[in-house]
Amino acid sequence: MHTPTRRPPAATAGREVAELLVTGEHRRPVAPSSSVALAGPPGVDATLQASERRFRLLLEHTSDAVVILAADGLVLELNARACALLGVDPSAMPDAPAHPDARTTTGGKDERWGEPLRLTGPWTAAEGLVEGMVLRRDGSARAVEIRSVRLDGGQMLAILRDNTQRRRQEEELHESRASFGGAFDHAPIGMALVAPDGRWLEVNGALCAILGYDAWELQRLRFQDLTHPDDLASSLAAMEALAAGRTDGCQVEKRYLRSDGGVVWALLNASIVRRADGEASYFVTQIQDITERKRTEQVLRRQALVVNALHDAVIVIDYVGRITDWNPAATHVFGYPRAVALGRSAAFLLADERDAGGEIARVLRQAERWSGELAFRGDEGRTGLCEVTVVSLGEGDARQQAYVVVARDVTQRRAAEQALRASEERARALIEHARDIVAVLAADGTVLYESPAVERVLGFRPEEMVGRSGYDFVHPDDAAGIQRRLAELLADPGRVASLEYRCRTREGTWRSLEGRAWNLVDHEAVGGIVMHVRDVTEARQLEAQLRQAQKLEAIGQLAAGIAHEINTPTQYVGDNVRFLDGAFADLLALLRRHEAARRELGRHPELAALAAELEAAARGADLAYLTEEIPSALAQSLEGVERIAEIVRSVKAFSHPGGDTLSPIDLNREIENTVSLSRNEWKYEADVVLDLMPELPPVHCLAGEVNQVVLNLIVNAAHAIGDRRRREGAAAKGTITIRTRLVGDHVEIRVGDTGTGIPAHVQDRIFDPFFTTKPVGKGTGQGLAIARTAIVERHHGMLTFETEAGRGTTFVIHLPVGGPADAGQDVAA
Amino acid sequence: MKRILFVDDEARILGGLQRMLRPLRDRWDMVFAPGGPAALQELAHGPFDVVVSDMRMPEVD
């Protein structure tokens, strides 16, 4: 550190400080005239007295203290001023003796007057000016300046000037200069006294630190030498204006060049001290290092630029919510120009009534920031939504509190997000609620996505399928086909492939799925093969049933023709057999006659050889057997032909139902016919027992429809019995019992079986069209539906059933004898 | 004796009938015509008491 050099304080060099002691008491001075009562020429007396008078006047009126002393310090004369200075009260003085010499001759203490007044001390022998201290009798001291002059006879004239004031002033000045020096030296800011030409006269430690030079280095330089070139002109101009008196003081921001080459920004305050003649004596300057401040200012400027360039609105508000700053983006968002917004309460921007400000303030008491969304209302009615963050600036006490509000207008974004969300929701809803399954597979068949519909169709939740191979679910017979399709799609991405395959359900059954697939492997959002399939199981079943029904219908249509075709050969075969039968009978009769003749021949020995030959021939021809068997054979052939004819008749009867015209029908016969016709359906499973009421009156009905109904019931009965037999492992056949009765004006037909019975949960549905419990191909599910339509609607009859699970079922048909028109009130619609 | 005319375009049926009815040849005078035209010819030769005929025959029905 530098120590400043200064001239030492103004303790006067070369002067001694004498100490003078006042002792004794002063005596009233002798009357002036008496002191000079010496003989002499008369004219001299007058001059002497005049001189004496002038002398006294001078003594009394001078402002200095004058003392005349003997060589030993005895005070011979003193003036009023001296009395005051020495602390002697002139009014309290006893009289002095008449003659001064009288004092000296006694040489000692005078009893009446005590010690005489003395001013003792180390008087300098030589004349001169001495500084001293007078110690008075009362103990107080006075600083004095003593000028002593030697008089005749060893006496001394001492002129004392009270120095106390001056000494005090000097001391004060000294102190003040000392404290000023201290203030100057130890000031925290750079201070300098600068000559008018720019030379540093005095510099303090702070300035040295700022500029990086020692004091003595600086005192060899001028401020111009260290001023940054860009600021030189303005510095000089300011100092010059100051010197010229155009300004009283100046304040300039300028740069100095440090000793290490760095640049320091300084705030310079300068004033001027002038000499008495008005010329500039020197500048007093204060130099503050504001480099930090400048840097901070630059940072703030940059920050302000940033804030102003921001897209987000930045608003600063004070502790009561008034807007103190407002960036351009805020104007953009809210529409109010800065001038309008400043000073207003920020709450005026809020669109709703709730006390958002209060809420936010509450949160900010605990946390650093508040984030949320606020609806705003801007200029000209514009409204919207902002994402807002509020940060407390926390500067000092409550009144200093300020807040920064950063708001981003997200109105558009929200709207877009909502639109997107809505669109996604819609898309998702469409897929999820679609009845069809949408799936995405990887090229190797791994399931990437299944829409929720898959659960309804297959029973698997989508997550149970994703990640597994699709082939795990596809029917083995259909897997190869699917593989081919996928390969085709991968090879030719533009195609759309049709798919049909069976898929496993959770329960282990199969469902038929059908749909399309296309290749979106390269599509960003999908990345796989998309399949859009629908459950066609029921449809396929219906198709199969329909095909079956059509086949049956076709056969039915052919049946009449077939029957007729069969009929023709049947007829002549029958006729021929009958012919043969008769013819053989005739031949046999003839043969008997020949036998008789042969036996006759046998009686004649000469014809015995012939007879024997004949007998042998008969035996050879196995005559006995032929005689037995031929008639049997013929009879059985005839039976067979009869049987064929019967079937053909039944078929014809069935195929030609008589159309839409009601006619009286012998139901018993029809039933027998139908039973005969359907033998193949029931003969393996059951025996048919007919309990048909004799003399059953004919019923007005449509024979064909009634036959169809009875046929269906018989077939169902046979199947039910077959199911039960399989379930129970029974070897014995069941029984189908058909009864006819007349009940009032209705004929009742009962078709009963010893089958499985109808389970409770199914009973409501058995008359539903297409409802069947039989596997595909074994029944169209239409039988009972058609039966009900026929009996109830067409004939106004009734079709009901009685069932017992595990024991059997009996279907009961009621037909009005008189036909549908005659049904009366018995019919349940 | 009754005269009966049997008509059928199927030869075998006619033959079968004929054989079957042979035992009755002493009771009825049976004529077998193999089709409509032949039957008409027979009818032209003289009256019959009964005609037993197939229906839906080609040519003359």
Side-chain angles (χ1 to χ4, degrees):
Chain A
M1 280 305 291
H2 313 270
T3 44
T5 55
R6 298 187 81 253
R7 284 195 288 273
T12 50
R15 290 192 188 167
E16 298 161 12
V17 181
E19 233 181 47
L20 305 173
L21 194 59
V22 177
T23 55
E25 291 170 26
H26 182 51
R27 316 251 162 93
R28 195 173 295 125
V30 179
S33 54
S34 59
S35 67
V36 289
L38 296 169
V44 175
D45 257 355
T47 312
L48 209 60
Q49 279 176 16
S51 172
E52 184 74 23
R53 264 200 307 279
R54 275 202 292 277
F55 177 64
R56 292 276 165 230
L57 278 171
L58 183 65
L59 273 191
E60 292 316 313
H61 291 99
T62 180
S63 49
D64 291 333
V66 179
V67 178
I68 297 176
L69 304 158
D72 61 358
L74 180 70
V75 173
L76 303 169
E77 293 255 10
L78 74 169
N79 69 351
R81 275 292 223 258
C83 286
L85 184 59
L86 298 180
V88 170
D89 181 4
S91 58
M93 289 185 301
D95 287 329
H99 200 272
D101 290 335
R103 285 201 298 265
T104 58
T105 52
T106 57
K109 252 170 110 157
D110 194 303
E111 284 152 17
R112 280 192 296 160
W113 294 294
E115 276 294 319
L117 187 62
R118 276 182 209 280
L119 191 58
T120 55
W123 294 100
T124 55
E127 298 172 351
L129 191 58
V130 176
E131 288 206 4
M133 290 286 289
V134 169
L135 298 175
R136 305 197 290 187
R137 284 187 51 177
D138 62 3
S140 60
R142 278 274 191 273
V144 291
E145 200 181 69
I146 308 162
R147 187 179 293 277
S148 51
V149 179
R150 190 167 293 284
L151 296 175
D152 301 336
Q155 293 179 350
M156 236 174 13
L157 172 70
I159 302 174
L160 303 153
R161 183 173 292 176
D162 190 340
N163 226 8
T164 315
Q165 197 92 356
R166 214 195 78 183
R167 279 288 275 278
R168 201 171 293 137
Q169 278 175 350
E170 267 186 14
E171 261 171 27
E172 273 174 11
L173 186 61
H174 183 70
E175 255 173 43
S176 116
R177 289 194 77 184
S179 50
F180 169 72
F184 186 83
D185 286 334
H186 301 300
I189 63 175
M191 295 177 70
L193 304 178
V194 178
D197 68 352
R199 261 181 315 121
W200 305 102
L201 296 173
E202 300 260 7
V203 293
N204 75 346
L207 184 61
C208 295
I210 287 171
L211 297 177
Y213 290 95
D214 286 338
W216 60 269
E217 289 174 311
L218 281 177
Q219 281 165 336
R220 293 149 82 103
L221 296 169
R222 305 167 307 153
F223 74 78
Q224 297 90 313
D225 301 326
L226 300 182
T227 300
H228 192 286
D230 295 345
D231 298 325
L232 191 53
S234 52
S235 281
L236 286 171
M239 292 310 230
E240 200 242 325
L242 195 53
R246 289 200 291 278
T247 53
D248 281 337
C250 77
Q251 187 178 80
V252 171
E253 283 186 8
K254 59 181 284 187
R255 282 161 288 184
Y256 287 101
L257 302 171
R258 288 176 50 93
S259 61
D260 58 13
V263 172
V264 56
W265 268 99
L267 177 66
L268 172 72
N269 272 293
S271 53
I272 192 159
V273 172
R274 298 185 184 283
R275 291 204 292 264
D277 61 3
E279 279 296 310
S281 179
Y282 55 89
F283 297 105
V284 178
T285 65
Q286 284 143 353
I287 295 163
Q288 280 182 63
D289 183 347
I290 57 168
T291 311
E292 262 320 296
R293 201 190 82 184
K294 276 293 188 196
R295 201 168 292 144
T296 306
E297 274 175 16
Q298 187 183 38
V299 169
L300 287 176
R301 256 197 307 280
R302 281 199 191 131
Q303 284 177 347
L305 279 175
V306 168
V307 167
N308 285 343
L310 282 179
H311 214 58
D312 295 345
V314 179
I315 303 169
V316 181
I317 59 177
D318 69 8
Y319 70 104
V320 289
R322 279 186 301 249
I323 296 172
T324 59
D325 206 357
W326 178 270
N327 75 341
T331 302
H332 183 73
V333 172
F334 302 107
Y336 297 110
R338 187 187 160 90
V340 169
L342 287 181
R344 295 192 66 168
S345 166
F348 91 107
L349 296 170
L350 292 174
D352 53 38
E353 297 305 317
R354 66 178 179 151
D355 179 25
E359 246 176 71
I360 294 171
R362 260 195 301 285
V363 170
L364 287 175
R365 263 177 235 134
Q366 253 94 7
E368 257 184 22
R369 59 177 55 217
W370 179 93
S371 287
E373 282 187 7
L374 294 173
F376 70 84
R377 190 185 316 115
D379 198 15
E380 286 161 9
R382 76 171 80 171
T383 56
L385 194 67
C386 272
E387 254 176 22
V388 175
T389 302
V390 182
V391 177
S392 160
L393 289 177
E395 293 159 4
D397 66 19
R399 294 177 85 80
Q400 303 282 11
Q401 194 62 262
Y403 303 92
V404 175
V405 177
V406 181
R408 175 172 299 167
D409 185 349
V410 294
T411 318
Q412 302 276 43
R413 201 177 80 190
R414 281 281 171 275
E417 278 175 9
Q418 255 166 2
L420 183 63
R421 218 191 335 268
S423 159
E424 269 182 17
E425 280 301 318
R426 185 168 46 241
R428 192 194 318 279
L430 287 176
I431 289 189
E432 287 180 2
H433 290 100
R435 307 299 287 168
D436 299 345
I437 300 173
V438 176
V440 179
L441 298 187
D444 66 357
T446 309
V447 175
L448 299 177
Y449 169 78
E450 293 281 345
S451 70
V454 74
E455 185 166 4
R456 183 183 50 80
V457 174
L458 300 179
F460 292 109
R461 286 193 309 278
E463 50 267 27
E464 290 177 287
M465 296 181 77
V466 170
R468 296 179 59 175
S469 170
Y471 294 109
D472 286 350
F473 301 92
V474 169
H475 194 287
D477 294 345
D478 299 326
I482 296 293
Q483 218 164 17
R484 259 199 306 279
R485 286 279 174 278
L486 291 188
E488 282 167 18
L489 282 178
L490 289 168
D492 184 2
R495 291 179 60 148
V496 175
S498 292
L499 301 174
E500 189 162 344
Y501 58 99
R502 282 156 291 178
C503 209
R504 187 159 62 80
T505 68
R506 208 160 207 257
E507 292 133 22
T509 59
W510 296 100
R511 293 204 76 83
S512 297
L513 301 181
E514 173 199 77
R516 302 288 177 105
W518 56 95
N519 184 339
L520 286 183
V521 170
D522 292 330
H523 191 291
E524 244 180 58
V526 179
I529 298 195
V530 178
M531 293 172 46
H532 185 214
V533 294
R534 125 173 16 113
D535 182 357
V536 295
T537 316
E538 263 79 32
R540 288 278 170 271
Q541 279 174 352
L542 285 179
E543 277 170 20
Q545 286 169 1
L546 198 61
R547 264 197 298 279
Q548 185 82 344
Q550 282 170 345
K551 250 192 290 186
L552 293 176
E553 195 185 319
I555 290 174
Q557 279 169 349
L558 289 175
I562 292 167
H564 186 74
E565 291 300 308
I566 294 173
N567 220 29
T568 304
T570 304
Q571 176 154 357
Y572 60 78
V573 164
D575 290 344
N576 285 331
V577 168
R578 270 184 285 277
F579 164 69
L580 287 169
D581 196 37
F584 182 71
D586 292 343
L587 281 174
L588 197 59
L590 187 59
L591 204 58
R592 293 263 182 268
R593 300 291 295 276
H594 283 235
E595 287 278 290
R598 185 176 56 75
R599 273 196 296 280
E600 196 53 47
L601 281 178
R603 286 199 209 104
H604 304 276
E606 68 276 13
L607 296 169
L610 187 62
E613 199 186 308
L614 286 172
E615 195 174 341
R619 224 178 287 123
D622 203 359
L623 191 60
Y625 177 78
L626 290 177
T627 311
E628 248 340 289
E629 289 306 316
I630 288 177
S632 271
L634 288 171
Q636 285 171 7
S637 298
L638 209 57
E639 273 173 33
V641 167
E642 278 298 320
R643 177 88 190 96
I644 293 171
E646 192 195 317
I647 290 171
V648 168
R649 270 197 300 281
S650 295
V651 169
K652 279 174 107 169
F654 205 83
S655 311
H656 293 289
D660 285 334
T661 46
L662 297 161
S663 39
I665 302 292
D666 178 355
L667 288 179
N668 286 343
R669 231 188 80 215
E670 295 295 327
I671 287 170
E672 285 168 342
N673 202 40
T674 306
V675 167
S676 163
L677 200 61
S678 62
R679 175 168 279 117
N680 199 59
E681 296 294 318
W682 50 260
K683 74 174 180 184
Y684 302 106
E685 303 287 4
D687 297 317
V688 168
V689 171
L690 294 177
D691 176 9
L692 308 176
M693 176 173 149
E695 314 292 330
L696 190 74
V699 174
H700 252 79
C701 64
L702 302 169
E705 297 208 0
V706 175
N707 283 336
Q708 177 98 3
V709 172
V710 172
L711 176 62
N712 278 331
L713 293 178
I714 292 171
V715 169
N716 284 352
H719 289 164
I721 290 170
D723 288 344
R724 181 174 166 190
R725 284 178 78 208
R726 267 187 299 281
R727 188 189 301 171
E728 295 175 1
K733 292 201 285 192
T735 311
I736 300 174
T737 312
I738 305 180
R739 282 199 183 83
T740 57
R741 290 279 182 279
L742 180 65
V743 177
D745 59 356
H746 281 66
V747 160
E748 182 192 88
I749 306 171
R750 303 180 74 95
V751 179
D753 64 62
T754 57
T756 54
I758 302 172
H761 68 272
V762 158
Q763 287 177 19
D764 286 340
R765 303 173 62 190
I766 59 169
F767 292 112
D768 291 350
F770 299 106
F771 174 79
T772 180
T773 55
K774 296 178 186 151
V776 171
K778 286 231 73 148
T780 63
Q782 303 202 56
L784 287 176
I786 291 173
R788 166 159 271 182
T789 308
I791 300 300
V792 174
E793 287 170 34
R794 308 263 290 184
H795 291 87
H796 296 175
M798 284 200 303
L799 178 57
T800 56
F801 63 92
E802 297 151 6
T803 188
E804 195 180 329
R807 296 290 300 273
T809 309
T810 302
F811 278 86
V812 184
I813 303 168
H814 278 138
L815 289 170
V817 173
D822 218 42
Q825 65 278 19
D826 290 299
V827 176
Chain B
M1 200 161 43
K2 303 283 187 208
R3 275 176 65 89
I4 308 176
L5 176 65
F6 292 92
V7 190
D8 200 309
D9 62 312
E10 277 263 8
R12 289 195 190 83
I13 289 187
L14 211 58
L17 276 173
Q18 196 169 2
R19 286 190 208 105
M20 185 180 75
L21 293 168
R22 180 151 175 77
L24 295 169
R25 64 188 181 283
D26 298 322
R27 258 177 81 186
W28 299 326
D29 178 9
M30 295 181 284
V31 175
F32 295 86
L40 289 170
Q41 268 189 324
E42 293 293 336
L43 281 165
H45 287 145
F48 284 89
D49 293 294
V50 179
V51 175
V52 178
S53 173
D54 182 22
M55 302 185 76
R56 299 208 299 192
M57 290 186 287
E59 292 176 50
V60 178
D61 210 353

